[in-house]
Structure formats: structure tokens, C-alpha cells
Amino acid sequence: MASQNYPPPSNSRSKTVDSGMAVSKDGHSVTKRLRQDLTTLMLSGDKSISAFPDNDNLFNWIATITGGTGTIYESQSYKLTMSFPGRYPYNPPVVKFLTPIFHPNVDEFGNICLDILKEKWSALFDVRTILLSIQSLLGEPNIESPLNSEAADLWERPEEYKRILQVKYREASKAT
Amino acid sequence: MAASTDKDDRGKGTPSMEERSFECNICFDTATNAVVSMCGHLFCWPCIHTWMEARPQDTPTCPVCKSVIDKEKLIPLYGRGSDQKDPRESLPPRPAGQREEAPEDNNNTGYFGDGMFNGINVSFGVGGFPFGFGLGPAFTIQTGRMGGQHHNVNIGHRGNRMHHGRRGGQEEEQRKTMARLLLTFAILFIIMIIFT
């Protein structure tokens, strides 16, 4: 199991930023921190978000987010992948939607446009806070910088948005 | 897989709020070599140092509240019985550069050995002796150059590498100025001798 706990080798971010900072040296503290994240998430008792390392590789997680109550995404659940760089938590993980989602800030490949996963990243964030941020992004999209302009345009017309969202969600859950 | 964490946590019980308030905001573990920012947030020194180094192009900000932070404005925390050393000095994750002083070489080639002063400095050293003998110095310069050249080029090379590798640029600059000065004096002296 321990042998599988390595950071993704082809992570472009860690390649550019790491520049020789020994991943293996920090590897121990990274896995320790990821275990802390898992414990925090499990102890939080929040039913609407969950995550667990995929195949016992601590650097790749599969997460599930259920849309927040009162939002247009209520009771829809989406799977995501989280891959952590060797310099986590100094660098953010790459988080993507595995289940296709109709949302202004998510593109067709599942890439998420969220500032805290990019330039606003802080070493304070953990898996739980990332998932909560994405969950609140679902209900409160940033229309100013859309990745899916169709969804962004429709956001102002909630009835129509909801109709299309439900069709797309049904398709997506059938496919997965 | 989270067995070790479970064991740790169960052993102590779930960390109380009081215990948790001494956790580092980056590694979430009890802060070691603790430092506190001016905005009051607690970190392990290695953790906050790595965070500050992670984005060298930006002004470092507190991971908790985004307030501007500065290495000089982090306050080390010393608990009772803990090491009173400033963690900011004792634990720089980045090792300091190493330099080694070359053994002092009293041979003047060490001083004038590089570049264009090769032959001349030898002649000056040798030529010091026959200054009193009229035309002597002129010949000495010649012989000095001829005789010294081959040998000196070698030393000069070695000297060169030594200078670039280990001596500061300023020091070398001073030395060159000195050499030039001495050379000028020597030439003036020789001219004086020749024309008097």
C-alpha cells in the first residue's frame, strides 16, 4: 500500500514549481496531512460531501458532492476526482468533475474554474473546505468568467435552466 | 489505511478545542518550532517558511487571513522548557551556501599571476636586484619575461580559476588596481634610471 502512495508523476504544476524540491523528502508529511484531511472530513459528519482515496493511493481521491438544499442542484450528486501534487498543501490539488455537469464554471471535460483552486489557493484549505467551496459554487456560480457560456446565459432564467439541468443530469447519471 | 491516525486520535481521544488551538494552520499537527504571525495565526516554522517560498513572485500572505506576512515579523513562541533558539535561525530548510577560503599563497604569482601582468611581475621581482646597475633593468625585464613566461602562464591559469571560483570580485578588482599602480611605478622608476 505504501508503495502506491506517490504523487502523480506527470503533474505539470508540480513539475514547474517543484524544481528539485525533494518530493520524497516531503512525501511523509504530505501523506500525513492527507490522512489528517480524511479524518477531518469523516469526523465532520457532513452527509452532502464525501471523499476517499482511490485504490488506496493517497494522492488520488474520488469525491462526491450533493447539491446544497435550496439550490437548483439540490439532491443531485456528482462524482469528482482530486489529484494531489507532491507539494500539497503548498500547491492546490487538481479537482475535476467525473460526472458531467451543466454549470457555468465547469467545462465539458469537468475542469472547474474556481479561484481558490488556482491563484487564491491557501495552504490552510483541506479536502473538506475544497468540497464545501465547490458545493457552494454549484448554487452560486460566477457568471462573469464562465467556462460554459450556454449555462451562464441561461442562469438568469431559472425555470429553463432547471429543465435543461435535469435533462443533462439524467443523461449523465445514466452514462455513469 | 488510516489506522495510524485512528490510533493516534483514539489514544488521546478526540482533540479538544483547547488542544486544537495549538495546531499549525498548514500541517494541522501540533505546531513545532512554533511561530505566530502579526495577525495572530500559529504555524510551524518549516511550514510557514515553505509557504512563503512557494510563491516567490507574490508578496507572502497569511494562509488564514491573507494579511501580508514577513519573515522578520513572525514571532517565535517559546514554551516552558523548550529550546530558546529562534526557530527562524535554527531551521532554515534551505541550506546556506558554502564557500571555502583558498590557502593563502605568499608567492607573488598569487597576486599578480593573472592575465597581462604575468611576465612583468616576475621581472619586477627579479629586477629589483639590478636596479642599481645602469642598463640592467631593461635587460632584466626581457629575461624575466622570456624566462618566466611559460612557467607563469601555467600558474596564471591556476590563479585565474582560483580568483573566479573563490575570491570576491571586489577583492580581485582591488588587486588588479594595485598591480597596475605598481607597474606604473616600476616603469616610471626604470625610465627615471635610464634617463638620468
Side-chain angles (χ1 to χ4, degrees):
Chain A
M1 188 202 93
S3 62
Q4 281 186 35
N5 285 332
Y6 53 85
S10 59
N11 188 313
S12 60
R13 188 187 310 276
S14 60
K15 220 181 251 174
T16 49
V17 182
D18 278 359
S19 65
M21 264 296 271
V23 165
S24 54
K25 201 185 92 190
D26 290 342
H28 177 68
S29 54
V30 179
T31 54
K32 197 174 172 194
R33 166 67 197 264
L34 285 167
R35 285 201 187 95
Q36 288 265 25
D37 283 23
L38 187 63
T39 313
T40 312
L41 181 68
M42 288 177 145
L43 288 176
S44 75
D46 197 332
K47 294 274 189 299
S48 64
I49 51 167
S50 67
F52 205 78
D54 187 24
N55 270 330
D56 277 343
N57 181 354
L58 258 183
F59 288 87
N60 285 309
W61 293 37
I62 301 279
T64 311
I65 293 178
T66 307
T69 41
T71 69
I72 213 157
Y73 289 86
E74 185 172 346
S75 74
Q76 294 186 352
S77 72
Y78 293 90
K79 276 195 160 44
L80 300 97
T81 57
M82 307 178 87
S83 61
F84 296 90
R87 291 208 357 117
Y88 180 77
Y90 304 105
N91 290 342
V94 178
V95 187
K96 284 184 177 188
F97 273 92
L98 208 58
T99 315
I101 182 170
F102 184 69
H103 188 275
N105 304 116
V106 184
D107 71 8
E108 54 188 310
F109 308 107
N111 297 310
I112 307 165
C113 180
L114 183 57
D115 56 359
I116 63 141
L117 291 176
K118 308 232 156 55
E119 76 279 358
K120 293 271 173 69
W121 171 255
S122 166
L124 174 78
F125 296 138
D126 67 347
V127 173
R128 186 177 152 267
T129 51
I130 293 167
L131 293 179
L132 286 175
S133 301
I134 297 173
Q135 190 187 40
S136 67
L137 180 75
L138 292 187
E140 294 157 39
N142 178 9
I143 304 296
E144 305 303 309
S145 60
L147 280 179
N148 180 342
S149 49
E150 189 199 348
D153 293 342
L154 266 181
W155 183 255
E156 297 305 322
R157 287 171 278 165
E159 292 301 312
E160 215 171 322
Y161 191 96
K162 194 166 188 178
R163 195 175 49 80
I164 291 175
L165 175 68
Q166 278 170 349
V167 172
K168 299 233 177 199
Y169 180 68
R170 239 172 278 139
E171 278 172 22
S173 17
K174 247 183 247 166
T176 47
Chain B
M1 60 124 2
S4 61
T5 327
D6 285 353
K7 197 180 67 194
D8 289 349
D9 284 348
R10 302 245 164 87
K12 284 185 273 175
T14 311
S16 67
M17 243 14 210
E18 228 164 89
E19 282 171 53
R20 300 202 89 180
S21 60
F22 292 102
E23 281 175 6
C24 164
N25 280 293
I26 293 176
C27 69
F28 300 172
D29 226 330
T30 306
T32 51
N33 292 292
V35 291
V36 67
S37 62
M38 292 301 270
C39 45
H41 297 112
L42 182 72
F43 306 96
C44 303
W45 163 241
C47 291
I48 193 65
H49 182 271
T50 314
W51 172 247
M52 290 194 288
E53 298 279 294
R55 285 166 176 73
Q57 68 277 20
D58 298 337
T59 313
T61 54
C62 171
V64 184
C65 68
K66 309 275 181 196
S67 163
V68 174
I69 50 171
D70 182 3
K71 182 188 163 186
E72 299 308 321
K73 287 182 182 163
L74 292 173
I75 301 158
L77 291 183
Y78 307 124
R80 183 174 171 272
S82 74
D83 202 349
Q84 294 277 317
K85 259 194 289 178
D86 187 339
R88 292 173 300 175
E89 282 160 15
S90 61
L91 259 174
R94 195 181 58 178
Q98 303 208 345
R99 71 180 285 283
E100 194 183 324
E101 196 70 58
E104 201 47 67
D105 191 354
N106 285 330
N107 187 337
N108 57 9
T109 49
Y111 274 87
F112 307 104
D114 56 275
M116 57 195 264
F117 304 116
N118 262 348
I120 296 153
N121 94 70
V122 168
S123 69
F124 186 55
V126 180
F129 164 61
F131 268 1
F133 301 97
L135 278 173
F139 285 111
T140 333
I141 286 174
Q142 289 295 328
T143 44
R145 263 189 181 165
M146 301 272 221
Q149 193 128 36
H150 185 71
H151 176 66
N152 261 342
V153 166
N154 272 341
I155 293 177
H157 265 283
R158 222 188 301 150
N160 246 348
R161 225 177 289 147
M162 231 154 60
H163 284 309
H164 288 293
R166 294 186 185 155
R167 294 197 197 279
Q170 208 180 352
E171 213 178 329
E172 190 173 342
E173 203 53 46
Q174 276 179 354
R175 221 166 258 141
K176 273 188 179 164
T177 320
M178 269 284 273
R180 253 173 236 142
L181 214 81
L182 278 169
L183 180 70
T184 318
F185 275 126
I187 290 167
L188 279 173
F189 194 55
I190 289 161
I191 290 169
M192 219 174 72
I193 289 167
I194 291 170
F195 290 101
T196 45

